[in-house]
């Protein structure tokens, strides 16, 4: 309960004006609810009973009673409308504020942190958990107004008859005890339900992401059962939550009604004894009838507190996460291609529990002069993709440094590395947007510059042939394009930014070898706006591609095993020679099988033939 109140206080401090208006409106509703009892008591005493005794009344008396009841009802309606509007406004503002905060934190946290947290869990943190945190906000102003209402009602009842008041007030400790039991029973069940929401989201996200694998391997039934298992667990957890609520809610609602019966019983005895009047009894009984609603409103807040606390812990787990990439104040160089130096770099991924795993890279060192093309070659699992992430500072090395123009990447100001370097990763991702939108990604550049990047990426031909050219939508993940076309658009996306360091992580593997050769030749000859070309680091496996590089860095078991010209390494490095020849044989076999099956990428093959 203390944690829940602290969470609610966060919202009150964040939206003090909105909360104040909502509470004032709730207070107006509470006052008018008590006022209704006063008016009814007055009308009973002054209008109804005299009319029953005399058998006659006046139009003025009836009009006055009706006007008083109508005025109280209108003010009460105004309080209800104001309370609901501003309570909802406060709730949705807090949800929006914390969704933005969680999303900004996701962007701020390093890639290493994201490696340890499944995407489904992150989606749940930003959606279901944020909603759960601020669920008590909607009934909160009502509950605060209820406290005001209870105080007014308590004073009014005590003034009317102390004995009846003391009997009726026995309801409150009973409700408090019931709520303590309720919180203790509900909290662990609500925690379990929130965790299962994240797990269901995680399984669904994995199934959607791996849709192609699921379909091609015939795993639909297995994925369905995996999702159904988590969904059943979530259903059972939600049913358990509902069962506890279903057990306690009727009791919470019944207690005030039992209090009303006790008040009527004691009040009738007091009435017969002449200790109170009929109007007093109507007034007190009606107030206790009304107290059932305020107590239920308090119960609504208390019912949401366990989920709110659980959601708050999960959201704070994201907001309090550490490991951000620190930035310096150095500005990147301008104009010419960047000089790159990798100095004694060591890196290890963290496991899911945050512990360091076995190192992936060991004391890696090499350099690239401005405008040079470096090919990084190595067997699977040798650390090539990890190295590319380090070059563009998606992660920082555990030891050593990556220098751009002689400046440690960690000393550059925020955005400095992005202004200097661009990465085209292995896995191409295109948005469900136009060709122009996928290339620019919000960068304000003219179409001429977009076409220039497309020409360098050897993508201008097929883009021009699309129905709407740059305005053609490519579908989700570029579904309307071939694999080679998607890779070339991703390359154009990097080139349009005119990077001084271009890192290609096997970024042309789906492109025909002749097209790939033209791309690399174009990159070597291209000139940026400042007159200097880009330094290129390419992870490659095709012999023809490797031969175009000025220098080859051969990586094996996370270490630089050798470096030099392609021809030199073929002569002196047995491991390098065996690897490159094996790649070449595998590529030839794959191409022959593709041609026999008719599976050649037609778009790339036509351009290669041309």
């Amino acid at each position: 309960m203390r944690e829940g109140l602290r969470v609610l206080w966060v919202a009150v401090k964040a939206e003090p004006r909105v909360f104040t208006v909502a509470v004032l409106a709730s207070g107006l509703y509470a006052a008018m609810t008590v006022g209704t009892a006063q008016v009814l008591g007055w009308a009973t005493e002054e209008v109804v009973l005299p009319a029953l005794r005399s058998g006659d009344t006046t139009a003025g008396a009836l009009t006055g009673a009706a006007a008083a009841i109508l005025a109280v009802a209108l003010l009460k309606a105004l309080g209800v409308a104001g309370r609901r509007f501003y309570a909802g406004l406060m709730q949705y503002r807090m949800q929006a504020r914390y969704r933005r905060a969680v999303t900004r934190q996701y962007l701020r946290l390093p890639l290493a942190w994201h490696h340890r947290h499944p995407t489904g869990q992150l989606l749940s943190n930003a959606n279901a958990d944020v909603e759960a945190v601020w669920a008590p906000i909607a009934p909160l102003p009502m509950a605060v107004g209820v406290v005001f209402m209870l105080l007014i009602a308590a004073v009014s009842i005590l003034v009317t008859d102390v004995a009846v008041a003391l009997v009726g007030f026995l309801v409150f400790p009973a409700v408090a005890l019931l709520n303590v039991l309720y919180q203790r029973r509900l909290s662990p069940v609500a925690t379990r339900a929130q965790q299962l929401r994240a797990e269901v989201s995680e399984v669904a996200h994995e199934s959607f992401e791996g849709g192609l694998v699921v379909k091609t391997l015939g795993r639909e039934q297995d994925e369905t059962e995996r999702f159904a298992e988590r969904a059943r667990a979530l259903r059972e957890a939600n049913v358990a939550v509902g069962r506890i609520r279903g057990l306690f809610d009727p009791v919470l609602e019944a207690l005030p009604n039992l209090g009303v019966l006790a008040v009527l019983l004691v009040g009738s005895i007091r009435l017969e004894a002449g200790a109170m009047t009929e109007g007093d009894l109507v007034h007190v009984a009606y107030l206790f009838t009304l107290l059932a609603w305020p107590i239920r409103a308090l119960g609504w807040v208390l019912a949401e507190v366990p989920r709110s606390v659980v959601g708050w812990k999960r959201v704070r787990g994201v907001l309090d996460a550490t490991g951000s990439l620190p930035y310096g104040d150095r500005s990147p160089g301008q104009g010419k291609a960047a000089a790159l130096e990798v100095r004694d770099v060591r890196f290890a991924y963290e496991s899911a529990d945050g512990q360091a795993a076995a190192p992936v890279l060991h004391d890696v060192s090499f350099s690239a002069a401005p405008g040079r093309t470096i090919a990084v070659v190595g067997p699977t699992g040798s650390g090539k993709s990890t190295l590319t992430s380090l070059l563009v500072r998606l992660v920082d090395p555990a030891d050593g440094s990556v220098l751009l123009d002689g400046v440690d990447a960690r000393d550059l100001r925020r955005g400095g590395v992005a202004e200097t370097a661009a990465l085209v990763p292995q896995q191409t991702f295109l948005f469900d947007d136009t060709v122009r939108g996928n290339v620019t990604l919000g960068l304000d550049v003219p179409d001429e510059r977009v076409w220039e990047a497309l020409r360098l990426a050897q993508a201008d031909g097929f883009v021009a042939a699309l129905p709407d050219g740059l305005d053609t939508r490519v579908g989700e993940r570029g579904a309307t394009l071939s694999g080679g076309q998607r890779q070339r658009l991703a390359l154009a996306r990097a080139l349009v930014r005119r990077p001084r360091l271009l890192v290609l992580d096997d970024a042309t593997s789906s492109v025909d070898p002749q097209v790939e050769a033209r791309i690399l030749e174009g990159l070597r000859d291209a000139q940026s706006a400042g007159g200097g070309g880009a330094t290129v680091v390419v992870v490659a496996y095709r012999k023809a591609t490797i031969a175009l590089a000025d220098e080859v860095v051969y990586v094996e078991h996370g270490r630089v095993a050798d470096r030099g010209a392609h021809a030199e390494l073929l002569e002196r490095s047995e491991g390098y020679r065996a690897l490159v020849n094996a790649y070449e044989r595998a590529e030839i076999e794959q191409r022959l099988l593709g041609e026999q099956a008719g599976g050649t990428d037609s778009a790339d093959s036509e351009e290669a033939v041309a």
Side-chain angles (χ1 to χ4, degrees):
M1 181 61 65
R2 286 194 298 270
E3 291 179 2
L5 292 176
R6 282 197 291 267
V7 173
L8 295 178
W9 181 241
V10 170
V12 173
K13 288 192 297 182
E15 296 288 347
R17 294 182 180 179
V18 176
F19 179 72
T20 300
V21 175
V23 169
L24 289 176
S26 182
L28 176 62
Y29 162 78
M32 290 305 102
T33 300
V34 177
T36 302
Q38 296 282 6
V39 169
L40 287 176
W42 169 81
T44 301
E45 194 73 33
E46 301 296 330
V47 179
V48 177
L49 291 179
L52 291 175
R53 292 190 187 103
S54 64
D56 190 19
T57 187
T58 64
L62 291 175
T63 302
I69 293 172
L70 181 61
V72 170
L74 288 175
L75 290 173
K76 186 177 178 181
L78 181 63
V80 170
R83 184 197 76 229
R84 289 187 175 180
F85 176 81
Y86 286 100
L89 179 63
M90 181 179 178
Q91 181 183 32
Y92 295 132
R93 278 188 176 181
M94 292 303 298
Q95 288 178 354
R97 177 181 283 113
Y98 273 79
R99 281 200 180 98
R100 288 193 294 267
V102 168
T103 304
R104 283 194 297 266
Q105 179 73 335
Y106 287 161
L107 296 174
R108 186 184 67 82
L109 288 167
L111 201 60
W113 184 88
H114 287 273
H115 289 158
R116 302 194 305 270
H117 295 81
T119 304
Q121 179 181 325
L122 303 185
L123 291 172
S124 181
N125 290 148
N127 185 29
D129 290 335
V130 170
E131 286 187 3
V133 171
W134 306 119
I137 294 297
L140 178 62
M142 173 65 179
V144 175
V146 158
V147 174
F148 177 60
M149 179 178 174
L150 290 175
L151 291 175
I152 297 176
V155 172
S156 180
I157 294 171
L158 284 170
V159 169
T160 303
D161 193 281
V162 175
V164 172
L166 293 177
V167 171
F169 289 166
L170 292 175
V171 172
F172 298 113
V175 169
L177 177 61
L178 189 65
N179 271 299
V180 170
L181 297 175
Y182 175 63
Q183 300 291 333
R184 291 182 177 179
R185 289 286 302 277
L186 187 63
S187 184
V189 181
T191 301
R192 174 65 175 160
Q194 285 296 104
Q195 175 61 34
L196 286 170
R197 284 188 179 90
E199 292 180 11
V200 168
S201 178
E202 181 182 335
V203 173
H205 182 269
E206 285 182 350
S207 297
F208 295 147
E209 285 286 298
L212 182 61
V213 175
V214 171
K215 287 286 187 182
T216 55
L217 297 181
R219 303 290 296 176
E220 295 93 338
Q221 185 61 35
D222 299 278
E223 282 300 295
T224 300
E225 291 176 359
R226 189 163 74 103
F227 181 81
E229 179 187 355
R230 294 292 83 196
R232 282 193 294 268
L234 176 59
R235 180 192 64 191
E236 292 170 1
N238 285 332
V239 168
V241 171
R243 189 180 294 116
I244 294 173
R245 286 184 171 180
L247 177 65
F248 281 89
D249 281 352
V251 181
L252 282 172
E253 189 169 349
L255 279 176
N257 294 325
L258 293 175
V260 171
L261 292 177
V263 165
L264 289 174
L265 177 62
V266 175
S268 61
I269 296 173
R270 300 281 290 171
L271 182 63
E272 289 180 1
M276 62 189 307
T277 65
E278 293 88 346
D280 290 337
L281 181 58
V282 170
H283 173 209
V284 172
Y286 183 72
L287 278 180
F288 270 102
T289 303
L290 292 178
L291 290 182
W293 171 259
I295 291 173
R296 288 178 63 191
L298 285 171
W300 293 336
V301 175
L302 296 174
E304 295 293 345
V305 164
R307 285 185 61 232
S308 175
V309 172
V310 172
W312 178 252
K313 289 179 179 178
R314 292 170 62 84
V315 169
R316 289 308 316 180
V318 175
L319 297 181
D320 295 337
T322 57
S324 62
L325 292 176
Y327 296 94
D329 55 4
R330 301 283 296 274
S331 294
Q334 300 293 328
K336 65 179 182 178
L340 172 68
E341 182 180 0
V342 179
R343 185 183 297 169
D344 300 324
V345 162
R346 187 177 65 83
F347 181 82
Y349 289 103
E350 290 184 1
S351 59
D353 58 4
Q355 301 298 317
V360 177
L361 297 175
H362 311 263
D363 302 319
V364 173
S365 297
F366 67 90
S367 60
R372 302 270 287 177
T373 298
I374 303 295
V376 178
V377 181
T380 301
S382 58
K384 303 185 299 297
S385 294
T386 300
L387 180 59
T388 61
S389 297
L390 288 164
L391 297 183
V392 295
R393 212 193 171 204
L394 292 178
V395 292
D396 279 336
D399 292 306
S401 55
V402 175
L403 287 80
L404 300 174
D405 295 324
V407 179
D408 193 320
R410 288 170 288 204
D411 294 332
L412 292 175
R413 59 173 168 76
R414 182 182 292 273
V417 174
E419 293 175 17
T420 303
L423 169 67
V424 185
Q426 280 180 319
Q427 302 299 325
T428 302
F429 185 90
L430 296 182
F431 295 90
D432 186 7
D433 198 352
T434 63
V435 172
R436 181 190 292 105
N438 271 287
V439 172
T440 61
L441 288 187
L443 187 68
D444 186 15
V445 294
D447 284 354
E448 292 78 9
R449 187 163 159 185
V450 174
W451 282 111
E452 177 188 347
L454 291 171
R455 280 191 294 272
L456 277 174
Q458 299 294 306
D460 55 324
F462 80 79
V463 171
L466 293 174
D468 298 313
L470 293 178
D471 295 315
T472 302
R473 298 192 73 89
V474 300
E476 185 178 3
R477 296 181 175 272
T480 62
L481 303 177
S482 70
Q485 289 170 338
R486 289 195 294 269
Q487 282 195 331
R488 281 177 281 171
L489 283 188
L491 178 58
R493 175 191 295 164
L495 293 174
V496 79
R497 284 153 173 78
R498 292 176 175 169
R500 300 169 52 241
L501 171 65
L502 180 63
V503 182
L504 307 177
D505 183 9
D506 200 12
T508 53
S509 58
S510 297
V511 177
D512 195 274
Q514 291 90 333
V515 177
E516 182 185 41
R518 293 206 301 272
I519 291 173
L520 293 176
E521 288 286 2
L523 291 177
R524 293 186 67 173
D525 298 337
Q527 298 294 314
S528 64
T535 303
V536 179
V537 177
V538 53
V539 174
Y541 67 91
R542 287 172 175 162
K543 184 180 287 188
T545 305
I546 298 169
L548 294 173
D550 299 306
E551 186 179 12
V552 178
V553 176
Y554 175 48
V555 181
E556 194 173 43
H557 302 302
R559 302 179 186 275
V560 177
D562 206 344
R563 56 180 295 192
H566 171 59
E568 295 174 358
L569 293 186
L570 284 176
E571 287 290 332
R572 69 170 181 251
S573 176
E574 182 179 349
Y576 176 78
R577 182 170 57 252
L579 179 66
V580 172
N581 289 334
Y583 279 151
E584 187 176 34
R585 286 194 300 271
E587 184 183 358
I588 292 172
E589 292 173 2
Q590 185 177 4
R591 191 183 310 164
L592 290 174
L593 289 173
E595 290 174 356
Q596 291 173 4
T600 303
D601 188 326
S602 59
D604 292 335
S605 297
E606 289 173 5
E607 292 184 28
V609 171

